[in-house]
Structures are given as C-alpha cells and as structure tokens.
Amino acid sequence: MTQDTHQKVTSIHLSRNAYLYIRQSTLRQVFENTESTKRQYGLRQKAIALGWPEERIVVIDSDLGQSGASAADREGFQRLVTEVSLGRAGIVLGLEVSRLARNNTDWHRLLEICALTDTLILDEDGIYDPSHFNDRLLLGLKGTMSEAELHVLRARLQGGIRNKARRGELVIKPPIGFVYNSEGVLVLDPDKQVQQALRLLFDTFRRTGSATATVKLFRKQGLLFPRRVHGGPQRGELVWGVLGHCQVLRILHNPRYAGAFVFGRHHSRKTVDGHSRIVAVPQEKWQTLIPGAHAGYLSWEGYEENQKRLHDSAQAIGGDRRRSPAREGPALLQGLILCGRCGQRMTVRYHVRHGCLCPDYVCQREGIEHAQPVCQHIPGSGIDEAIGALLIEAVSPVALEVALTVQQELQSRLEEADRLRLQQVERAQYEADLARRRYMRVDPENRLVADSLEAEWNSKLRAVAEAQQDHERQRQQDRQALSDQQRAAILALASDFPRLWRDPNTPERERKRMTRLLLEDVTVFRSDGIVLQIRFRGGAARTLTIPLPLNAWQQRATSPEIVRDIDRLLDNNTDGQIAAILNERDMRSGEGKRFSPSIVARIRRDYSLTPRYDRLRAAGMLTVQEMAAVLGVTPGAVKIWNRHGLLHGHAYNDRNECLYETPGNNPPRKSQGKKLSERRAAIEVPSENTKEVQCEA
Ligand SMILES: [Zn+2]
C-alpha cells in the first residue's frame, strides 16, 4: 500500500483541495481526549508531505461534539459530501477514516461519490483510491468493522445495564423525594419538608381523586413543591416552585413512589429524520418490576388504585383535547375551535337540556395546568347552528357558480399564456434551424469556424428542448381545468350538500367530517355577543357575530305581550277569569304550560302589576264594611243586596269578594216585606264594566 502511495497522488488530485475532517463524538471527548484531536490535526502534515500547499487544506471541524451514528445532524459531514460530489476535493483525510461515518450507509455513499469524482482517501494507515476495487473493498470492510465495533460495544454496555436492572441493582436517577444513602440504598429524602409535600400530594389525590384538585389545593394554600435540577451549574440542587398538573401526573404514574424497582417503562425510538422519540411502554411489557424493593410513599395497592382512577377520568375527559378525529358527540366544532383570548384549543363539555345533549366549548387547559379559573366558557348550540347555516350558504348554487366563473376566467388567461409560450418554442426552433444551415454552409476544412458554429447549433438545440419542455410542463399544469362532467358534479353539490346536512339520519360524525373538509378552524371570542372568526380550507375567512344565548331563566320568562295583556285584563277581571281568557286564546306560559289562576298571580307579582283590588279602590269603590256604614245595614245585608242587584259590586278575587260602587243619590233602603227582585227595578244603574268584560271574552 505504502509503496504506491505516491503513484496514486497525481497532479489532478493536487490541483484540487485536501479536506481534513475532524470529529469527536461528545463535547466531553473534545475536552478530555485532546490527544485524539491533536492526532487528527496532525494529519495536515501528511497532506503537506504529499504535496498539497498548506492554504489548500480545508479543515472541517464543525461536527466536534456530534455523534457519528447518523449524518442527519452533522452539518460538517454533509458539507464534506457536497464538496466531494462537486469534484472540488482531491483527497479526504481523517483519522481512522471509517469513523468518518459510523453509519455504513453514509460511509458507502461517500465511497461511491469519491470513486466517481476520483477523490483519494487518507488515514493513518495509508492512502486509498476508491475507484480501485481492492481499495474500495478494504475501505468497505473498515466501515463494516467500525459499525460492528460500535454494535458490540453498545451490546456489552446495554447487556450489563439490563443484567443489573434484572437484579434490581441498577442505579437510576431517583425521582424527587428519594435519595441514595451512603450504602447505595434508595431511601426517602431525609428533608422533612420534601417528604411532607409528597405525602400531601398523595393524600389530596386519594381524597379528591383528581390531579386538578390536587394542583388547586397547593395553589389555594400557597404551597410550593420541590424539584431537583438535573443540569447546568445548579445541578443536583433542590428548588421549590409551583406545582403543575403534568408534575402531579408524572408522580402519580411513577411506581417508584410505591417502593417498586422498575426498568424499561420507556423506550426510545429513532424517527426518519434522525431524532429519537420517547415512547411509554405498557406495564405488562416493562423489563423489570420488583414491588417492595425499597421504602415508598404509598403501598403498591395504593399505586394501582391511583392508576385506575387516573385511567377512568382520562377516558372521561381526554378525548377532545387535540385536533382529533371527529367523534360521535353532536358538538360540530369539536377539535376545530380555538380560544380567542389565549389561542389554546378549546375542549367540549356536554350538558342535557330538554332531553338533548347540548355542547359547551370550554378553554380550560391553562386552568387545569395551573389551577386557574376557566378562561372562556361558551354555550355551543348557537355557534353550531350559525356554522351550519354558513356552510350551507358557502355551498349554495350562487357561491359555486361564482367560483366556477372565476375558474373559467383564469382558464381563458391561461390559454393566452400558452399561445405566448408556443411562440417562444417556434422562435427557438427557427434559430436552431438557422444555426444548422450556417454550420452546413461552412467549409469543413475551416475547422475553427466549423467548431464554433457547431457549438452554437448545439446550444440552440438545447434552447429548443428547454422551451419545449417548459411549454409541455405548463400545459400539463393548466390542463387541470374542469371538464363539463366535473362542473356538473360540483354544481350538484349545491343541492346534495344541504339535503345531506339537514337529513336527521346523517350521523353527527359525518356532519363533523364535512365541516372538517370545509373549515380549517374557528376562533371564538365572547364579548357583548359571540364573535366567530372562521377560516375556510382555501384560506378565505369570515367573521360572524351571534347574540349570546339566553339564560335558563330568560328562556322560561313570559313573553312581554302576555304580560301587557294581563295588565290590561286586570282592569276588569280576576286572576281566574284572566287565565280562562288566555287559555281560550291558546296562549302558553314561558314554560309552555296552560294558564292557571296561580300562574297569572305569579306573573302579576313578578312583573309588579297593580293588583285588581288597588285598581278598584283607585276608582273610588268601597269595601263591604264602608258600604255597610254608608247604608246603615250589616255587611251581610250588603252582600245579599249585591247578589240581588241592588248594589253594583266588582269581584277583586276568585272567592267573589267584592268592592262596591258608591250607591249615588238614590241608595237602596231597608224596607221590610218587599221582595228583593221587585226592588231592583227601582234603582237600575247600567254598569259599563260588565259589557266590557263580555267584549274582552
Ligand atoms: Zn383561552
């Protein structure tokens, strides 16, 4: 290998740059393993010895502190590959070159590109030319060995960790509330305040069964919760802060608080972009679970009980958090609605009214996390109705017709552009023909002229090809115009969509799916009314304002017309009579009931209508006692005379208790022995009131 070293380096290689790639996996290695870094920089001398001038040696060391396991994050390695593929590199230098890329795919790709661009590779052992089969084989082997080495190392490390974990002896970073003592045994944190905080957390959850309630209690009482700092200059220190909802859940879900040793609760997985993602593993798949391995804050049964309660309540409320698939419930905007005050996604709550499920949209995420009051709470039925009407309007024949007309207008402009592009192609073709004719006419012996004409002809031909391709590509794009059939299908939507939407047999979930096809999201804000900002899928936006829905009591309130009617009828009727009159007119109370005297009396009191008694008194009528005094008879006699028409009494209630009109100049007198019916004729006074009542009835 070394003998032919200098034969491999040619002037072509020397005319290009030398790239020295330097890498250390971790920042720690960068600081501690300085020897390796020095050796890597030392390779520069080798390049100089091979004939590269110093200023042409490019050092790529931007990957210091990056792992070599994948090229995704390694900007330096990517730059190296780019430089090599552009043919700017004559040689690539690296210490143990196979470590350039720990991932074999990356390494083989680099080898291939080096072979194609005639780039040499140099490491401490020698110099290789990847275009030679033997060298490439050797480099490939080195890469495979390197990957295998990494695998074996990792397997050994992980095997050791797993064995220790299986025995329950692995030292794992303890959660807050635990520390390792001097014998390496996990014990409760000797800090009493920390212990008390944890005990309070578990007690509160046992009492309330809710993580939110636990956060609320800590907040209400102004209690702080401990946390251990895991990095930075404060590493290992205990800090006290506000307790968060996530924190409570993390602690409740951690079996170590029940004194169990666990290993393998989480699993890290590589994603396509080279990042890793932590996935929770279900309990039955944990690698190790040893209950009662050390002291704890609660029993194993207590832990399992907590898991069950958390699981149950998560099923009750967990569904509507994210922009999630459409579910069965009737809330149309489930997962689409955003809070206009804080921007969070709102969740759905249902309540039952008149036997139907009514949605409410609630912004409560902040509230749950930090035990704050709910940000916004908006009744949903009005919103859903407004959105439904808007969607039907958006898919109306007029709206679709407008959209199609615009589309047609755009289409006609596209055709104009297409004609222009075709002219460009024709022009390019003409120029190419011209260049060909010029080339044909020149004397073949005149090489210099012939060459330059041929080059010109070639370039014109390329221009023709480009123009044609351009034209074809644009035509393909423009051809996405609508056929008549498609137009008809779209216009049919205008009648199909509202029919499907209003069909009571359409499941709520389908209605929600249709909404999702048309709408991006809806932002809602509650002020004097409910303001909805609706974003359609195509980017159009609409703002709607709908009135706030009535409260329960407002919905049950009696209509103002009926109150006015009752006020008018009270002049001449008792409660019972009014109820009969209203029922005869088929009127109903606010709750949809038939009127009864007690309902009329309640409305009269609620709306402070003047009682009939006061009205009659105001008209100067006398009570039975006053009348008796005026006439000089007993109250009983007054009533009898009234019954027989000698006096004019007006009932002020349904017990037929009356107030009496003043008898005037000719009051009835006691006259023994005369029939009451005969005496009535003498003092007949026409009563207007009774007539009016008949009219009203
Ligand atoms: Zn909010």
Side-chain angles (χ1 to χ4, degrees):
M1 197 67 53
T2 36
Q3 285 85 6
D4 58 355
T5 292
H6 298 286
Q7 291 152 20
K8 283 182 184 167
V9 180
T10 63
S11 58
I12 296 173
H13 295 127
L14 286 171
S15 69
R16 303 192 222 146
N17 291 342
Y19 286 87
L20 172 56
Y21 181 73
I22 295 177
R23 182 180 69 80
Q24 289 281 25
S25 293
T26 60
L27 270 180
R28 196 195 179 99
Q29 279 185 5
V30 175
F31 284 111
E32 292 178 1
N33 200 354
T34 47
E35 193 53 40
S36 163
T37 316
K38 262 187 217 152
R39 272 167 67 211
Q40 295 193 31
Y41 281 109
L43 282 175
R44 188 206 296 256
Q45 293 308 318
K46 274 202 168 181
I48 294 171
L50 284 170
W52 269 273
E54 196 166 356
E55 68 275 7
R56 296 273 294 284
I57 303 174
V58 183
V59 178
I60 298 182
D61 53 5
S62 52
D63 287 346
L64 278 178
Q66 298 275 355
S67 158
S70 158
D73 290 332
R74 291 190 300 145
E75 185 197 323
F77 184 73
Q78 285 169 356
R79 184 180 152 211
L80 178 70
V81 173
T82 314
E83 298 290 328
V84 171
S85 55
L86 288 174
R88 291 183 195 146
I91 190 164
V92 174
L93 308 118
L95 196 71
E96 297 170 53
V97 275
S98 54
R99 290 185 54 193
L100 282 177
R102 274 271 162 118
N103 179 322
N104 242 346
T105 327
D106 293 344
W107 174 234
H108 281 283
R109 194 171 304 136
L110 179 66
L111 281 188
E112 253 169 56
I113 297 169
C114 282
L116 284 173
T117 55
D118 192 16
T119 307
L120 300 176
I121 290 182
L122 176 131
D123 71 359
E124 283 202 319
D125 296 334
I127 189 162
Y128 312 90
D129 185 347
S131 53
H132 289 182
F133 175 74
N134 278 338
D135 282 9
R136 197 163 64 228
L137 185 70
L138 190 61
L139 286 171
L141 260 178
K142 280 191 163 198
T144 311
M145 296 296 284
S146 173
E147 200 178 15
E149 180 193 336
L150 196 70
H151 172 76
V152 171
L153 266 178
R154 190 182 287 156
R156 263 189 216 143
L157 268 173
Q158 295 226 327
I161 289 173
R162 275 189 199 154
N163 271 336
K164 265 192 151 177
R166 211 163 288 143
R167 296 196 300 272
E169 288 167 9
L170 185 68
V171 174
I172 306 173
K173 191 174 67 190
I176 187 71
F178 289 101
V179 285
Y180 281 103
N181 68 6
S182 50
E183 282 97 54
V185 179
L186 197 64
V187 291
L188 302 190
D189 196 324
D191 188 332
K192 285 279 174 257
Q193 201 186 349
V194 173
Q195 282 198 20
Q196 274 166 8
L198 275 159
R199 288 193 198 285
L200 179 65
L201 187 150
F202 284 113
D203 283 346
T204 315
F205 183 77
R206 188 161 43 240
R207 207 157 35 77
T208 58
S210 141
T212 311
T214 313
V215 181
K216 273 187 183 162
L217 180 112
F218 270 76
R219 186 178 185 87
K220 200 168 133 202
Q221 314 220 340
L223 299 173
L224 296 178
F225 198 80
R227 187 167 61 82
R228 213 169 276 287
V229 183
H230 288 305
Q234 281 185 301
R235 189 186 161 132
E237 274 179 38
L238 195 70
V239 290
W240 292 79
V242 178
L243 179 66
H245 189 253
C246 300
Q247 218 174 347
V248 176
L249 287 183
R250 218 170 29 238
I251 289 172
L252 290 171
H253 281 307
N254 193 341
R256 303 189 80 188
Y257 287 100
F261 177 87
V262 274
F263 184 75
R265 283 172 66 213
H266 296 104
H267 181 75
S268 131
R269 214 170 252 163
K270 276 261 154 64
T271 55
V272 181
D273 55 1
H275 296 281
S276 51
R277 195 162 55 96
I278 306 285
V279 188
V281 178
Q283 187 175 333
E284 60 276 11
K285 289 190 180 160
W286 291 351
Q287 274 179 31
T288 316
L289 170 62
I290 309 174
H294 52 76
Y297 285 87
L298 73 168
S299 66
W300 181 251
E301 289 73 34
Y303 166 76
E304 288 194 317
E305 167 75 8
N306 286 351
Q307 297 314 297
K308 195 173 167 300
R309 292 173 88 173
L310 286 171
H311 179 73
D312 291 349
S313 53
Q315 276 188 332
I317 59 168
D320 297 323
R321 289 293 158 88
R322 283 162 292 283
R323 175 168 179 149
S324 46
R327 293 171 199 284
E328 300 294 340
L332 194 62
L333 299 178
Q334 165 242 316
L336 291 182
I337 190 159
L338 300 172
C339 173
R341 286 180 63 188
C342 68
Q344 296 264 23
R345 221 163 259 284
M346 295 176 90
T347 57
V348 179
R349 262 189 218 169
Y350 289 106
H351 66 266
V352 178
R353 178 176 286 177
H354 303 311
C356 297
L357 268 184
C358 296
D360 288 326
Y361 297 111
V362 191
C363 176
Q364 57 180 1
R365 184 146 342 149
E366 272 297 294
I368 289 176
E369 187 59 38
H370 295 119
Q372 304 274 16
V374 162
C375 171
Q376 277 202 110
H377 184 153
I378 296 174
S381 19
I383 297 180
D384 285 4
E385 263 169 44
I387 296 284
L390 180 73
L391 292 184
I392 288 175
E393 184 199 313
V395 196
S396 68
V398 180
L400 290 180
E401 199 64 60
V402 169
L404 288 173
T405 315
V406 171
Q407 162 86 13
Q408 210 164 26
E409 174 72 28
L410 289 174
Q411 199 60 37
S412 65
R413 275 185 224 159
L414 287 178
E415 275 157 20
E416 215 162 282
D418 187 58
R419 266 200 302 282
L420 282 174
R421 275 194 298 271
L422 196 63
Q423 283 173 2
Q424 272 172 13
V425 174
E426 280 164 7
R427 181 164 191 82
Q429 187 65 51
Y430 167 75
E431 282 177 2
D433 288 347
L434 200 64
R436 183 177 60 87
R437 281 203 296 278
R438 266 195 219 128
Y439 171 70
M440 291 298 188
R441 272 203 301 269
V442 78
D443 179 7
E445 293 303 312
N446 192 350
R447 294 257 25 116
L448 276 176
V449 178
D451 280 357
S452 77
L453 283 179
E454 189 180 3
E456 195 194 332
W457 182 24
N458 275 332
S459 80
K460 294 289 179 204
L461 281 177
R462 269 199 298 280
V464 173
E466 267 170 34
Q468 263 169 348
Q469 270 174 15
D470 208 30
H471 174 238
E472 201 50 41
R473 198 177 53 242
Q474 283 291 342
R475 259 231 328 226
Q476 288 294 341
Q477 277 177 16
D478 298 351
R479 204 173 284 163
Q480 289 162 356
L482 298 172
S483 66
D484 284 349
Q485 214 174 357
Q486 285 166 321
R487 266 182 72 92
I490 289 175
L491 284 174
L493 259 183
S495 61
D496 290 349
F497 178 76
R499 204 184 57 222
L500 190 61
W501 185 268
R502 295 194 183 110
D503 185 350
N505 292 326
T506 305
E508 297 292 352
R509 200 169 21 145
E510 298 307 321
R511 217 163 271 145
K512 283 199 237 178
R513 282 194 186 143
M514 289 189 259
T515 315
R516 269 143 205 271
L517 289 177
L518 292 166
L519 297 186
E520 190 66 48
D521 53 36
V522 176
T523 307
V524 60
F525 186 77
R526 179 181 187 145
S527 54
D528 298 337
I530 298 176
V531 182
L532 300 171
Q533 269 153 355
I534 299 141
R535 279 205 304 151
F536 283 89
R537 268 295 164 100
R542 277 285 293 275
T543 303
L544 288 184
T545 307
I546 56 173
L548 284 170
L550 301 177
N551 290 332
W553 68 266
Q554 285 171 329
Q555 285 186 356
R556 287 206 299 273
T558 313
S559 76
E561 295 85 64
I562 291 186
V563 176
R564 266 201 301 281
D565 279 355
I566 291 177
D567 190 21
R568 204 148 34 79
L569 287 170
L570 270 172
D571 287 338
N572 301 308
N573 298 285
T574 62
D575 293 347
Q577 289 161 341
I578 294 173
I581 292 166
L582 293 176
N583 285 336
E584 210 165 296
R585 293 184 198 167
D586 262 344
M587 287 177 165
R588 291 288 179 268
S589 75
E591 287 165 307
K593 291 181 182 160
R594 284 172 67 79
F595 283 96
S596 67
S598 60
I599 290 181
V600 175
R602 184 174 54 71
I603 293 172
R604 186 161 51 69
R605 277 194 302 275
D606 287 351
Y607 290 87
S608 309
L609 304 180
T610 318
R612 179 154 165 77
Y613 182 88
D614 294 357
R615 292 173 195 231
L616 294 177
R617 288 293 275 171
M621 298 202 185
L622 306 177
T623 64
V624 67
Q625 279 83 13
E626 286 166 348
M627 190 52 123
V630 168
L631 297 178
V633 295
T634 60
V638 172
K639 285 180 188 167
I640 292 169
W641 287 4
N642 176 42
R643 232 179 354 259
H644 287 89
L646 273 64
L647 291 170
H648 286 283
H650 297 275
Y652 60 83
N653 64 21
D654 292 319
R655 290 192 300 281
N656 205 27
E657 290 171 335
C658 297
L659 290 176
Y660 299 91
E661 289 176 23
T662 44
N665 301 330
N666 187 19
R669 283 175 212 293
K670 277 199 261 185
S671 48
Q672 217 100 68
K674 206 166 180 186
K675 272 189 183 167
L676 286 164
S677 53
E678 289 161 12
R679 290 170 56 193
R680 180 173 41 208
I683 47 159
E684 190 68 57
V685 179
S687 167
E688 291 160 20
N689 287 335
T690 36
K691 271 185 202 158
E692 262 181 42
V693 171
Q694 279 156 3
C695 289
E696 285 287 354

